[in-house]
mmCIF file with all atom_site columns, all heavy atoms in Angstrom:
data_model
loop_
_atom_site.group_PDB
_atom_site.id
_atom_site.type_symbol
_atom_site.label_atom_id
_atom_site.label_alt_id
_atom_site.label_comp_id
_atom_site.label_asym_id
_atom_site.label_entity_id
_atom_site.label_seq_id
_atom_site.pdbx_PDB_ins_code
_atom_site.Cartn_x
_atom_site.Cartn_y
_atom_site.Cartn_z
_atom_site.occupancy
_atom_site.B_iso_or_equiv
_atom_site.pdbx_formal_charge
_atom_site.auth_seq_id
_atom_site.auth_comp_id
_atom_site.auth_asym_id
_atom_site.auth_atom_id
_atom_site.pdbx_PDB_model_num
ATOM   1  N  N   . TRP A 1 23  ? -7.636  3.010  1.042  1.00 98.00 ? 23  TRP A N   1
ATOM   2  C  CA  . TRP A 1 23  ? -8.534  3.365  2.152  1.00 98.00 ? 23  TRP A CA  1
ATOM   3  C  C   . TRP A 1 23  ? -9.810  2.530  2.075  1.00 98.00 ? 23  TRP A C   1
ATOM   4  O  O   . TRP A 1 23  ? -10.353 2.304  0.986  1.00 98.00 ? 23  TRP A O   1
ATOM   5  C  CB  . TRP A 1 23  ? -8.930  4.839  2.077  1.00 98.00 ? 23  TRP A CB  1
ATOM   6  C  CG  . TRP A 1 23  ? -7.858  5.804  2.478  1.00 98.00 ? 23  TRP A CG  1
ATOM   7  C  CD1 . TRP A 1 23  ? -6.558  5.519  2.796  1.00 98.00 ? 23  TRP A CD1 1
ATOM   8  C  CD2 . TRP A 1 23  ? -7.994  7.229  2.588  1.00 98.00 ? 23  TRP A CD2 1
ATOM   9  N  NE1 . TRP A 1 23  ? -5.882  6.679  3.095  1.00 98.00 ? 23  TRP A NE1 1
ATOM   10 C  CE2 . TRP A 1 23  ? -6.736  7.741  2.977  1.00 98.00 ? 23  TRP A CE2 1
ATOM   11 C  CE3 . TRP A 1 23  ? -9.047  8.114  2.401  1.00 98.00 ? 23  TRP A CE3 1
ATOM   12 C  CZ2 . TRP A 1 23  ? -6.517  9.112  3.172  1.00 98.00 ? 23  TRP A CZ2 1
ATOM   13 C  CZ3 . TRP A 1 23  ? -8.825  9.474  2.591  1.00 98.00 ? 23  TRP A CZ3 1
ATOM   14 C  CH2 . TRP A 1 23  ? -7.577  9.959  2.984  1.00 98.00 ? 23  TRP A CH2 1
ATOM   15 N  N   . HIS A 1 24  ? -10.278 2.142  3.269  1.00 96.00 ? 24  HIS A N   1
ATOM   16 C  CA  . HIS A 1 24  ? -11.512 1.358  3.404  1.00 96.00 ? 24  HIS A CA  1
ATOM   17 C  C   . HIS A 1 24  ? -12.388 1.980  4.487  1.00 96.00 ? 24  HIS A C   1
ATOM   18 O  O   . HIS A 1 24  ? -11.939 2.849  5.229  1.00 96.00 ? 24  HIS A O   1
ATOM   19 C  CB  . HIS A 1 24  ? -11.189 -0.070 3.866  1.00 96.00 ? 24  HIS A CB  1
ATOM   20 C  CG  . HIS A 1 24  ? -10.316 -0.845 2.942  1.00 96.00 ? 24  HIS A CG  1
ATOM   21 N  ND1 . HIS A 1 24  ? -10.812 -1.715 2.017  1.00 96.00 ? 24  HIS A ND1 1
ATOM   22 C  CD2 . HIS A 1 24  ? -8.963  -0.876 2.802  1.00 96.00 ? 24  HIS A CD2 1
ATOM   23 C  CE1 . HIS A 1 24  ? -9.811  -2.265 1.349  1.00 96.00 ? 24  HIS A CE1 1
ATOM   24 N  NE2 . HIS A 1 24  ? -8.675  -1.775 1.795  1.00 96.00 ? 24  HIS A NE2 1
ATOM   25 N  N   . HIS A 1 25  ? -13.618 1.496  4.607  1.00 94.00 ? 25  HIS A N   1
ATOM   26 C  CA  . HIS A 1 25  ? -14.342 1.701  5.863  1.00 94.00 ? 25  HIS A CA  1
ATOM   27 C  C   . HIS A 1 25  ? -14.856 0.344  6.327  1.00 94.00 ? 25  HIS A C   1
ATOM   28 O  O   . HIS A 1 25  ? -15.070 -0.555 5.518  1.00 94.00 ? 25  HIS A O   1
ATOM   29 C  CB  . HIS A 1 25  ? -15.438 2.774  5.754  1.00 94.00 ? 25  HIS A CB  1
ATOM   30 C  CG  . HIS A 1 25  ? -16.672 2.375  5.007  1.00 94.00 ? 25  HIS A CG  1
ATOM   31 N  ND1 . HIS A 1 25  ? -17.356 3.231  4.173  1.00 94.00 ? 25  HIS A ND1 1
ATOM   32 C  CD2 . HIS A 1 25  ? -17.374 1.204  4.970  1.00 94.00 ? 25  HIS A CD2 1
ATOM   33 C  CE1 . HIS A 1 25  ? -18.412 2.609  3.668  1.00 94.00 ? 25  HIS A CE1 1
ATOM   34 N  NE2 . HIS A 1 25  ? -18.443 1.390  4.126  1.00 94.00 ? 25  HIS A NE2 1
ATOM   35 N  N   . HIS A 1 71  ? -6.964  -7.252 2.197  1.00 91.00 ? 71  HIS A N   1
ATOM   36 C  CA  . HIS A 1 71  ? -7.900  -6.131 2.299  1.00 91.00 ? 71  HIS A CA  1
ATOM   37 C  C   . HIS A 1 71  ? -8.578  -5.780 0.981  1.00 91.00 ? 71  HIS A C   1
ATOM   38 O  O   . HIS A 1 71  ? -9.670  -5.240 0.965  1.00 91.00 ? 71  HIS A O   1
ATOM   39 C  CB  . HIS A 1 71  ? -7.179  -4.886 2.854  1.00 91.00 ? 71  HIS A CB  1
ATOM   40 C  CG  . HIS A 1 71  ? -6.114  -4.344 1.947  1.00 91.00 ? 71  HIS A CG  1
ATOM   41 N  ND1 . HIS A 1 71  ? -6.379  -3.356 1.029  1.00 91.00 ? 71  HIS A ND1 1
ATOM   42 C  CD2 . HIS A 1 71  ? -4.808  -4.666 1.807  1.00 91.00 ? 71  HIS A CD2 1
ATOM   43 C  CE1 . HIS A 1 71  ? -5.254  -3.088 0.370  1.00 91.00 ? 71  HIS A CE1 1
ATOM   44 N  NE2 . HIS A 1 71  ? -4.290  -3.867 0.816  1.00 91.00 ? 71  HIS A NE2 1
ATOM   45 N  N   . GLU A 1 92  ? -8.114  0.402  7.265  1.00 94.00 ? 92  GLU A N   1
ATOM   46 C  CA  . GLU A 1 92  ? -9.535  0.353  7.622  1.00 94.00 ? 92  GLU A CA  1
ATOM   47 C  C   . GLU A 1 92  ? -9.839  1.560  8.497  1.00 94.00 ? 92  GLU A C   1
ATOM   48 O  O   . GLU A 1 92  ? -8.977  2.035  9.243  1.00 94.00 ? 92  GLU A O   1
ATOM   49 C  CB  . GLU A 1 92  ? -9.866  -0.929 8.392  1.00 94.00 ? 92  GLU A CB  1
ATOM   50 C  CG  . GLU A 1 92  ? -10.107 -2.147 7.520  1.00 94.00 ? 92  GLU A CG  1
ATOM   51 C  CD  . GLU A 1 92  ? -11.426 -2.100 6.753  1.00 94.00 ? 92  GLU A CD  1
ATOM   52 O  OE1 . GLU A 1 92  ? -12.205 -1.132 6.933  1.00 94.00 ? 92  GLU A OE1 1
ATOM   53 O  OE2 . GLU A 1 92  ? -11.663 -3.020 5.958  1.00 94.00 ? 92  GLU A OE2 1
ATOM   54 N  N   . HIS A 1 130 ? -11.006 1.693  -2.076 1.00 96.00 ? 130 HIS A N   1
ATOM   55 C  CA  . HIS A 1 130 ? -11.495 0.343  -2.376 1.00 96.00 ? 130 HIS A CA  1
ATOM   56 C  C   . HIS A 1 130 ? -12.634 0.388  -3.396 1.00 96.00 ? 130 HIS A C   1
ATOM   57 O  O   . HIS A 1 130 ? -12.730 -0.443 -4.283 1.00 96.00 ? 130 HIS A O   1
ATOM   58 C  CB  . HIS A 1 130 ? -11.953 -0.339 -1.082 1.00 96.00 ? 130 HIS A CB  1
ATOM   59 C  CG  . HIS A 1 130 ? -11.992 -1.828 -1.183 1.00 96.00 ? 130 HIS A CG  1
ATOM   60 N  ND1 . HIS A 1 130 ? -12.627 -2.617 -0.274 1.00 96.00 ? 130 HIS A ND1 1
ATOM   61 C  CD2 . HIS A 1 130 ? -11.463 -2.680 -2.118 1.00 96.00 ? 130 HIS A CD2 1
ATOM   62 C  CE1 . HIS A 1 130 ? -12.492 -3.894 -0.632 1.00 96.00 ? 130 HIS A CE1 1
ATOM   63 N  NE2 . HIS A 1 130 ? -11.789 -3.954 -1.742 1.00 96.00 ? 130 HIS A NE2 1
ATOM   64 N  N   . LYS A 1 140 ? -17.772 -2.487 -4.371 1.00 92.00 ? 140 LYS A N   1
ATOM   65 C  CA  . LYS A 1 140 ? -17.478 -1.908 -3.065 1.00 92.00 ? 140 LYS A CA  1
ATOM   66 C  C   . LYS A 1 140 ? -17.919 -0.446 -3.010 1.00 92.00 ? 140 LYS A C   1
ATOM   67 O  O   . LYS A 1 140 ? -17.919 0.244  -4.027 1.00 92.00 ? 140 LYS A O   1
ATOM   68 C  CB  . LYS A 1 140 ? -15.970 -1.989 -2.790 1.00 92.00 ? 140 LYS A CB  1
ATOM   69 C  CG  . LYS A 1 140 ? -15.492 -3.408 -2.543 1.00 92.00 ? 140 LYS A CG  1
ATOM   70 C  CD  . LYS A 1 140 ? -15.986 -3.895 -1.193 1.00 92.00 ? 140 LYS A CD  1
ATOM   71 C  CE  . LYS A 1 140 ? -15.687 -5.367 -0.990 1.00 92.00 ? 140 LYS A CE  1
ATOM   72 N  NZ  . LYS A 1 140 ? -16.167 -5.830 0.319  1.00 92.00 ? 140 LYS A NZ  1
ATOM   73 N  N   . ASP A 1 142 ? -16.731 1.520  -0.210 1.00 95.00 ? 142 ASP A N   1
ATOM   74 C  CA  . ASP A 1 142 ? -15.889 2.169  0.786  1.00 95.00 ? 142 ASP A CA  1
ATOM   75 C  C   . ASP A 1 142 ? -14.633 2.783  0.172  1.00 95.00 ? 142 ASP A C   1
ATOM   76 O  O   . ASP A 1 142 ? -14.125 2.259  -0.817 1.00 95.00 ? 142 ASP A O   1
ATOM   77 C  CB  . ASP A 1 142 ? -15.510 1.180  1.901  1.00 95.00 ? 142 ASP A CB  1
ATOM   78 C  CG  . ASP A 1 142 ? -14.706 -0.023 1.401  1.00 95.00 ? 142 ASP A CG  1
ATOM   79 O  OD1 . ASP A 1 142 ? -15.031 -0.547 0.317  1.00 95.00 ? 142 ASP A OD1 1
ATOM   80 O  OD2 . ASP A 1 142 ? -13.749 -0.422 2.088  1.00 95.00 ? 142 ASP A OD2 1
HETATM 81 ZN ZN1 . ZN  B 2 .   ? -12.805 -2.263 1.769  1.00 70.47 ? 1   ZN  B ZN1 1
#
Side-chain angles (χ1 to χ4, degrees):
W23 286 6
H24 299 264
H25 74 218
H71 65 93
E92 277 288 357
H130 201 194
K140 290 289 172 180
D142 62 320

